[in-house]
Amino acid sequence: MSELFAAGPAGAFATWVAALVTIGVWSYLLGQRRIFRLAQQLLAGLATGYLVVISVRDVLVPRLVQPLAAAPLQHPELWVGLALVVPLVLAAWAPRRIVAVPVAVLVGGTAGFALGGAVAGTLMPQLGASLVSPTSPGGVAGGALGLVVTALVLLSFLHGTRRGRIMGGVTALGRWMMVAGLGGFLGFLLVSRLTLLVDRVGFLLGDWLGILR
Amino acid sequence: MSSAWRRRAFLAPIVLLVLLSLAELAPRLSALQLANPDASRAEALRAALAAVPADGVALVDIDADLGTYPEVRPAVRAALDQLVRRGVRIAVVSFSAEGRAIASAELDRMQRLAPAAPLLDLGFRSGAEAGLVRSVRSIVPEGVGGAVAAEIRRRGGGLAAFDAALLIGGGEIGPRAWVEQVRTRVPQLQMVAIAPSVLQPELEPYRASGQLKALLATVRDDVAYVSAVGGWSAPRPGVAPVSGREPSALAILLGMLVAIGVLVEALAGHLLGPVGSPASRGQEER
């Protein structure tokens, strides 16, 4: 039981809607594209409406409108933010040079956060963790295997240089390692999606039909 | 496409759904256990949440996505249940709109099933990673009151005020963003994560390096954890239980076999070339 809906008429109605939409989406498997498209449009419309509501209610009003209305001079950073957002909103009509400023700030800020976090939070700690000398034979073997696989995959990206026979074999092996990695990822994806399908079947049998308890 | 192939293509999904339904309805077989027999990961999460003091405050970041949340839902509810049972105060926050929708539903469910649970809804924080960094200094919105909010403000008002952070991943802001943006700024915050299987390859290095104290990222570990903390059981008064049944191992096994069969057929068709491929067979029949 998902227990997402409360007991009572509203919960029963929500369960029925969810069940019918689930069956509507599955109808695509039987070639019924109209119902599937309707469900798609319903999802897109609801998601857009939800985003608008959450943007207005949780972001714009409490974090921009209310502080500016209450004390306009105490929040200079909000005025700067507003000045950057307005050209973005008017991007279709505003001159490119004006629009480029907030876009540059946006891209630069995002890249700064992402790059800084990736180096300080992932690259350095992970390098440090992999440099720890393993104590058990299994750890040594695992570390060596990891090193070999990493080297092979990195070598498979070697472009622009002449490859000899050995190097050609090494890069081909590296590519196969990547394919094996992708296969493993797809395996995880398959299990994940399968669990969702089983969950939906469980929802129909349990929450909707009440056969499973 | 020939009529025989069309019929097969029409019947195959129906047969699969019927098989999955039968597997769901069938009694659980003791020979088919979904729970991972190596319960070390489940135990790590249980121990990390048990280490939160009973008078402590835990932050739950729900940033799952709607497409993968059902996979982790039982483990998430069991973890919340584990915290609520011990009286730990819980603050729930989301940094993605999708996560906020799930958080709203889960908060609603908890308030229905465990009205006495000390919960604080911190709402949706905009700005993605920038919002995450801003929360390091201040996470409680102005105007939010109550005992839990007062305790967080008393402890500084930022992420350092929490004894632990339970991260529910799957969406755009997940455990990786937390490790990169928050752990570098608040290293003392203990972070544990529950994420769908697709994120396992990405997050496993963080668990191995100790940046994540515990990680559940496979269905088998999720089931092992729920079993370890006493889930799949009857409702207990005053707490929000993990009700329902353990996911059917038989259904998942059947689905895996069907998927492998489809892959083998596609591979055989590819290897056999024009003679074996369904498309060419259809052309020949035409």
Side-chain angles (χ1 to χ4, degrees):
Chain A
M1 303 284 278
S2 70
E3 283 177 346
L4 284 173
F5 310 124
F13 178 72
T15 304
W16 268 87
V17 170
L20 292 177
V21 172
T22 300
I23 293 167
V25 170
W26 283 355
S27 70
Y28 181 81
L29 297 170
L30 308 177
Q32 272 297 328
R33 297 199 178 154
R34 278 188 194 168
I35 304 172
F36 176 74
R37 275 194 202 134
L38 190 70
Q40 265 187 325
Q41 286 160 357
L42 190 67
L43 179 68
L46 284 172
T48 310
Y50 170 71
L51 277 175
V52 170
V53 169
I54 207 168
S55 303
V56 172
R57 209 192 68 170
D58 287 8
V59 183
L60 290 176
V61 171
R63 300 204 183 139
L64 183 72
V65 177
Q66 282 178 351
L68 286 181
L73 298 177
Q74 283 181 14
H75 300 283
E77 77 283 359
L78 291 181
W79 288 109
V80 176
L82 198 59
L84 288 170
V85 167
V86 169
L88 278 180
V89 175
L90 303 172
W93 305 281
R96 195 175 283 180
R97 283 183 183 180
I98 294 174
V99 178
V101 176
V103 170
V105 171
L106 193 66
V107 172
T110 308
F113 273 119
L115 194 64
V119 172
T122 295
L123 189 62
M124 302 311 287
Q126 287 299 317
L127 272 175
S130 58
L131 286 175
V132 172
S133 55
T135 47
S136 65
V140 174
L145 188 67
L147 187 68
V148 169
V149 171
T150 307
L152 286 173
V153 171
L154 285 176
L155 283 171
S156 72
F157 283 98
L158 200 63
H159 294 294
T161 54
R162 273 191 72 185
R163 291 178 191 168
R165 208 173 183 181
I166 297 172
M167 206 55 187
V170 164
T171 52
L173 197 58
R175 275 198 299 275
W176 276 108
M177 294 282 176
M178 259 199 299
V179 171
L182 279 174
F185 175 74
L186 284 176
F188 278 113
L189 194 66
L190 177 65
V191 173
S192 190
R193 296 297 180 258
L194 200 54
T195 312
L196 296 181
L197 184 59
V198 172
D199 178 81
R200 279 291 88 187
V201 171
F203 168 77
L204 290 181
L205 295 176
D207 293 47
W208 186 45
L209 297 176
I211 301 171
L212 273 180
R213 287 289 173 198
Chain B
M1 196 187 279
S2 70
S3 61
W5 272 99
R6 203 172 293 151
R7 207 163 39 243
R8 267 185 67 181
F10 181 80
L11 283 176
I14 297 176
V15 171
L16 176 65
L17 290 174
V18 169
L19 279 177
L20 291 181
S21 303
L22 290 175
E24 269 286 309
L25 290 169
R28 300 290 188 258
L29 301 171
S30 57
L32 275 178
Q33 290 291 329
L34 195 59
N36 194 346
D38 173 15
S40 56
R41 286 155 196 261
E43 180 54 30
L45 181 66
R46 196 203 59 74
L49 294 182
V52 179
D55 61 343
V57 188
L59 178 68
V60 179
D61 164 57
I62 301 187
D63 277 312
D65 76 315
L66 294 169
T68 54
Y69 184 64
E71 182 191 334
V72 297
R73 190 174 56 214
V76 171
R77 289 181 177 176
L80 291 171
D81 185 21
Q82 192 191 345
L83 291 169
V84 168
R85 235 183 297 168
R86 294 183 48 246
V88 175
R89 287 163 286 187
I90 298 173
V92 179
V93 70
S94 296
F95 291 87
S96 63
E98 214 171 342
R100 175 62 191 160
I102 294 168
S104 296
E106 287 300 336
L107 279 165
D108 178 57
R109 174 187 168 273
M110 286 187 79
Q111 278 155 3
R112 259 188 288 122
L113 299 175
L119 291 173
L120 172 66
D121 182 10
L122 293 172
F124 166 66
R125 308 284 291 175
S126 59
E129 291 195 336
L132 200 54
V133 173
R134 199 175 57 223
S135 299
V136 170
R137 285 177 57 194
S138 168
I139 194 164
V140 185
E142 285 176 26
V144 171
V148 185
E151 177 64 13
I152 297 168
R153 287 197 182 102
R154 193 186 65 76
R155 293 174 173 210
L159 289 176
F162 295 95
D163 295 290
L166 169 63
L167 316 172
I168 316 301
E172 54 204 273
I173 294 289
R176 180 178 176 160
W178 275 78
V179 168
E180 291 185 343
Q181 302 297 345
V182 176
R183 195 177 161 75
T184 48
R185 293 170 170 89
V186 193
Q188 72 273 25
L189 180 65
Q190 297 285 354
M191 296 197 288
V192 296
I194 301 174
S197 307
V198 280
L199 289 184
Q200 210 264 354
E202 180 187 314
L203 297 178
E204 181 57 25
Y206 297 117
R207 188 201 64 82
S209 65
Q211 289 169 284
L212 285 175
K213 190 87 175 161
L215 167 70
L216 295 185
T218 64
V219 182
R220 302 188 72 201
D221 286 332
D222 290 353
V223 174
Y225 170 71
V226 177
S227 303
V229 296
W232 323 115
S233 57
R236 291 173 294 273
V239 295
V242 182
S243 59
R245 303 202 322 167
E246 186 182 320
S248 166
L250 182 62
I252 291 178
L253 179 67
L254 271 173
M256 291 295 286
L257 289 175
V258 169
I260 290 168
V262 170
L263 283 174
V264 168
E265 190 189 10
L267 189 66
H270 178 72
L271 290 177
L272 294 174
V275 180
S277 75
S280 64
R281 266 179 283 181
Q283 279 168 5
E284 281 167 16
E285 284 171 24
R286 218 177 291 152

